[in-house]
Amino acid sequence: MQGRTGIIGGSGLYEIPGIEVIDKLDIDTPWGKPSDELLLTRIGDHEVVFLPRHGSSHAIPPHKINYRANIYAMKLAAVNRIISVSAVGSLREDIRPGDFVLVDQFVDHTRGRESTFFDGPVVAHVSVADPVCPCLRSSLLAACHDADIDTHNGGNYIVMQGPQFSSRAESNLYRSWGMDVIGMTNMPEAKLAREAEICYSTVAMCTDYDCWHEDEDDVSVDSIVAVMHANVAKAHKMLQTFFTTHADHQSCTCNCNDVLRSGIFADLKAQDDQAILPIHALVESFL
Ligand SMILES: CSC[C@H]1O[C@H](OP(=O)(O)O)[C@H](O)[C@@H]1O
Ligand SMILES: Nc1ncnc2[nH]cnc12
């Protein structure tokens, strides 16, 4: 059996029906409280830790999410891979509302979000050239196909600051940049997962055509919610399929779990306790 799998549920995904709850983890981290309690659950043979990104009543907007606390709490809960489930807008005609996209790249267009655990005095620079774990992504892709979901293999997700949606000029600009889908949450989440040496892969569920499409209504919360419920039902099916059939990728050769050995730009043994405290769970194997 693998280590624990984390699921970060986005808009609409606040619970997973029919799973066995083992424990509710009320975790405090050096970076503050995560968005909610973490639910330790069992799905088949797998221990799964579930966290609703916006809180269970969706009271936390994208720019106020404590991404560092969420990822650090996952680390403390012994999670070594995270499935992010996210609502996105489509920036391409052929990605239709209701389709899923197994994105493989992000462009971080957010501002002012706390986006690193290595805020000094311990400095680290890790590669996010490929921010998505290829193994987890291909297992999720297989699960989407098995669940009969119209799914796109790969895509660029631009992460905007929000909470307002884009202007038409911005939406067209992102299209001209080659972006495929747009959302507000996956950065800095993915970067922080990499710093925490946790595999990360997103299942992006398309809800709308943003505001660039001349024949479709501009995105609104109402239009998102209309599609979101059906998307969430598909996500439940996909997750069941994933954990029953695709969750054991024994031959994975990713190095998501081994980036700090070469990334830390400091002599950890020379640091005092105060410097190590906020990153202890990330660096304890090097001390
Ligand atoms: C309520 S629609 C806009 C909201 O939904 C997405 O969030 P998540 O990635 O957590 O599903 C999008 O990024 C916005 O935050
Ligand atoms: N059009 C859009 N822009 C940003 N975030 C979204 N989430 C869902 N649809 C979106």
Side-chain angles (χ1 to χ4, degrees):
M1 199 173 85
Q2 309 242 339
R4 289 179 175 162
T5 303
I7 299 175
I8 300 187
S11 297
L13 193 76
Y14 310 113
E15 56 181 11
I16 303 176
I19 53 173
E20 178 192 341
V21 176
I22 304 169
D23 204 357
K24 292 183 178 174
L25 311 175
D26 181 12
I27 297 181
D28 219 342
T29 82
W31 306 97
K33 292 288 262 186
S35 297
D36 214 316
E37 286 177 332
L38 280 67
L39 279 192
L40 175 59
T41 72
R42 201 183 321 274
I43 307 183
D45 289 341
H46 297 272
E47 286 193 349
V48 178
V49 178
F50 178 75
L51 175 66
R53 176 185 284 125
H54 302 273
S56 54
S57 57
H58 203 120
I60 311 173
H63 61 290
K64 291 269 186 71
I65 291 171
N66 188 337
Y67 294 96
R68 291 194 293 196
N70 285 355
I71 297 296
Y72 205 88
M74 284 284 183
K75 188 76 181 179
L76 290 174
V79 162
N80 64 6
R81 57 180 178 173
I82 289 175
I83 302 168
S84 150
V85 184
S86 276
V88 294
S90 168
L91 298 172
R92 260 178 39 196
E93 182 80 53
D94 65 316
I95 300 177
R96 291 157 305 172
D99 289 2
F100 283 18
V101 185
L102 271 295
V103 299
D104 52 2
Q105 283 293 335
F106 299 103
V107 169
D108 187 353
H109 214 235
T110 65
R111 289 181 294 274
R113 299 185 183 183
E114 300 290 359
S115 60
T116 180
F117 293 114
F118 296 92
D119 234 355
V122 179
V123 173
H125 303 281
V126 302
S127 171
V128 283
D130 292 300
V132 172
C133 171
C135 312
L136 183 56
R137 199 182 76 84
S138 71
S139 303
L140 289 166
L141 182 66
C144 287
H145 284 148
D146 283 4
D148 277 331
I149 298 165
D150 290 323
T151 306
H152 302 259
N153 180 7
N156 299 327
Y157 171 144
I158 182 154
V159 194
M160 61 177 295
Q161 174 68 359
Q164 305 86 355
F165 294 116
S166 307
S167 71
R168 218 175 303 286
E170 287 166 336
S171 195
N172 281 312
L173 182 66
Y174 304 147
R175 276 165 53 73
S176 77
W177 288 351
M179 300 296 107
D180 301 304
V181 295
I182 183 161
M184 304 178 190
T185 59
N186 278 210
M187 284 290 187
E189 197 172 86
K191 286 176 179 166
L192 291 164
R194 178 58 51 83
E195 285 189 346
E197 299 189 312
I198 300 175
C199 298
Y200 184 91
S201 184
T202 295
V203 179
M205 310 186 298
C206 176
T207 49
D208 55 85
Y209 275 117
D210 201 42
C211 62
W212 60 270
H213 201 300
E214 292 180 357
D215 303 328
E216 300 285 339
D217 289 341
D218 295 345
V219 60
S220 67
V221 168
D222 281 352
S223 66
I224 288 180
V225 169
V227 180
M228 193 178 74
H229 294 305
N231 281 352
V232 168
K234 291 185 215 175
H236 290 152
K237 188 171 166 205
M238 180 277 295
L239 288 168
Q240 287 298 340
T241 309
F242 173 80
F243 285 108
T244 49
T245 315
H246 297 288
D248 296 301
H249 49 236
Q250 309 292 3
S251 59
C252 183
T253 52
C254 73
N255 73 341
C256 310
N257 303 143
D258 184 25
V259 297
L260 287 180
R261 206 163 31 90
S262 60
I264 294 177
F265 204 78
D267 178 1
L268 285 177
K269 295 200 168 66
Q271 305 295 323
D272 61 25
D273 291 351
Q274 283 302 102
I276 296 297
L277 190 70
I279 52 171
H280 186 266
L282 313 184
V283 302
E284 57 184 325
S285 61
F286 306 118
L287 297 173

